[in-house]
Amino acid sequence: MNDRLNPSLTKVAVRANALCLALAAALMPAAHAANAPSKSEKAAAAQSASAALPANAVARVNNVTITQDELDQAVRASNAPDTPALRTALKNQLIARELFRQAAAKAHYDTRAQVVAAVEQAKTIAMTQAYLRDQVKPAPVTDADVKAKYDAIVATLGENEYKPSVIVVKDADTANKVLDQLKKGADFAQLAKQYSQGPDAAQGGALNWISFKTPIQPGNTQNWPQPLAEALVQLPQGAVSSAPVQVGDAYWILRVDQKRPTQVPQFDQAKDALRKQLEQIALEKATAQVVTDLVKNAQIQQ
């Protein structure tokens, strides 16, 4: 059985698997002479058992109802095939959770400091999320916005596109050391994994395809630093930059793994990804505006 339950249930379920097995056994009719219930307890149990469960209920624990909706939610959260065995197991876990809750409440665990703090934290998170849902209103992304973004990107593409790998280090000595090893035939990907502090170092420094309209113009470098873009377009396929390219306090070594004529995807192929990008940008912009408005009216000391 997959135990991926909802967060509030998972912690209990992980700790209570063995107890739930015992609970399942305990729910079976059995006579325990050493713990025989009194006549009053028998009468109360009989009265409780005789009362029909409310509609949409799967169990009742000391007059607290566990609903069919709760069980259905647990089944969905489990990501396991919906079978009678799964439902029985999850129902027993819900019963166990309710027993734990009632026992903890009876022992006044709700007043313990760590419980109060956890409840307050959960309340803060829920309250903040609800507030942001109401206050952050991203501008809608239209079909025209998506097409304009597509056209703008296509306009920046050059005749060729490149599949580069990079090694990024923090000092010139290390960069020259890496270049010396490359000239002696060392593997670029292994050196990237060993030395690089740049993007995708764990994957050997391999990056996605990139294209630039040449000659390189400021602002048309697909967010690459201009010196890197200029160095990249001058390299033939398979070549490594002869010297490190310094950008800020970092030193970049480039290799062109592949080079080909630029392949521009059709608009219909790109529009969904572009829409998601624009929606994320709109969300970030709207969130930043809410923060800015709150800061204007706040007194903040740091």
Side-chain angles (χ1 to χ4, degrees):
M1 183 189 70
N2 191 324
D3 286 327
R4 292 173 59 190
L5 306 176
N6 59 67
S8 63
L9 182 56
T10 300
K11 292 181 180 180
V12 175
V14 169
R15 298 173 183 174
N17 284 338
L19 187 146
C20 287
L21 291 175
L23 174 63
L27 291 174
M28 298 295 290
H32 298 282
N35 297 291
S38 66
K39 291 182 179 180
S40 60
E41 288 172 334
K42 286 182 178 180
Q47 182 179 1
S48 176
S50 65
L53 287 175
N56 196 38
V58 295
R60 185 164 49 199
V61 182
N62 297 326
N63 292 323
V64 174
T65 298
I66 296 173
T67 68
Q68 183 68 51
D69 292 339
E70 291 177 275
L71 180 57
D72 290 343
Q73 181 182 1
V75 171
R76 289 192 297 270
S78 72
N79 290 325
D82 188 349
T83 65
L86 176 69
R87 285 184 170 270
T88 297
L90 292 179
K91 181 173 71 172
N92 286 341
Q93 289 186 8
L94 290 169
I95 292 171
R97 182 180 69 170
E98 180 56 29
L99 287 170
F100 296 154
R101 187 198 67 78
Q102 292 181 19
K106 185 176 181 180
H108 303 294
Y109 274 70
D110 55 324
T111 62
R112 292 198 173 190
Q114 63 269 36
V115 175
V116 172
V119 170
E120 187 61 30
Q121 182 181 29
K123 176 182 175 181
T124 298
I125 293 172
M127 180 174 62
T128 301
Q129 290 176 340
Y131 174 82
L132 290 175
R133 281 194 298 269
D134 290 341
Q135 300 300 320
V136 176
K137 303 295 184 183
V141 175
T142 66
D143 292 343
D145 294 332
V146 178
K147 185 60 166 62
K149 181 65 174 178
Y150 173 83
D151 292 340
I153 292 175
V154 170
T156 67
L157 302 179
E159 180 181 352
N160 295 309
E161 61 182 351
Y162 308 85
K163 184 74 170 62
S165 289
V166 298
I167 297 174
V168 187
V169 296
K170 293 299 184 182
D171 61 89
D173 289 342
T174 302
N176 289 322
K177 177 181 177 180
V178 171
L179 278 175
D180 288 341
Q181 294 186 51
L182 288 171
K183 291 175 182 178
K184 294 176 182 178
D187 182 73
F188 191 101
Q190 290 300 319
L191 290 176
K193 293 176 182 178
Q194 181 178 355
Y195 290 103
S196 183
Q197 301 177 46
D200 293 323
Q203 286 72 47
L207 303 181
N208 292 326
W209 288 95
I210 190 76
S211 178
F212 311 104
K213 187 178 288 295
T214 55
I216 302 294
Q217 297 295 324
N220 290 329
T221 59
Q222 312 288 3
N223 296 322
W224 272 51
Q226 188 167 339
L228 291 180
E230 292 174 343
L232 185 67
V233 299
Q234 295 174 11
L235 293 173
Q237 181 169 313
V240 176
S241 52
S242 59
V245 180
Q246 184 174 2
V247 179
D249 60 353
Y251 295 81
W252 294 64
I253 299 169
L254 306 173
R255 183 180 71 180
V256 176
D257 298 332
Q258 297 181 61
K259 178 180 177 180
R260 68 188 183 191
T262 299
Q263 300 179 11
V264 181
Q266 296 297 315
F267 175 68
D268 285 345
Q269 296 175 301
K271 64 181 182 180
D272 290 342
L274 291 176
R275 183 179 295 277
K276 289 180 180 179
Q277 291 177 14
L278 292 174
E279 288 174 345
Q280 181 62 32
I281 292 171
L283 177 62
E284 292 172 357
K285 183 177 179 180
T287 303
Q289 185 60 55
V290 171
V291 173
T292 299
D293 293 342
L294 291 174
V295 168
K296 287 180 180 178
N297 298 310
Q299 294 182 355
I300 302 174
Q301 293 178 304
Q302 300 188 46

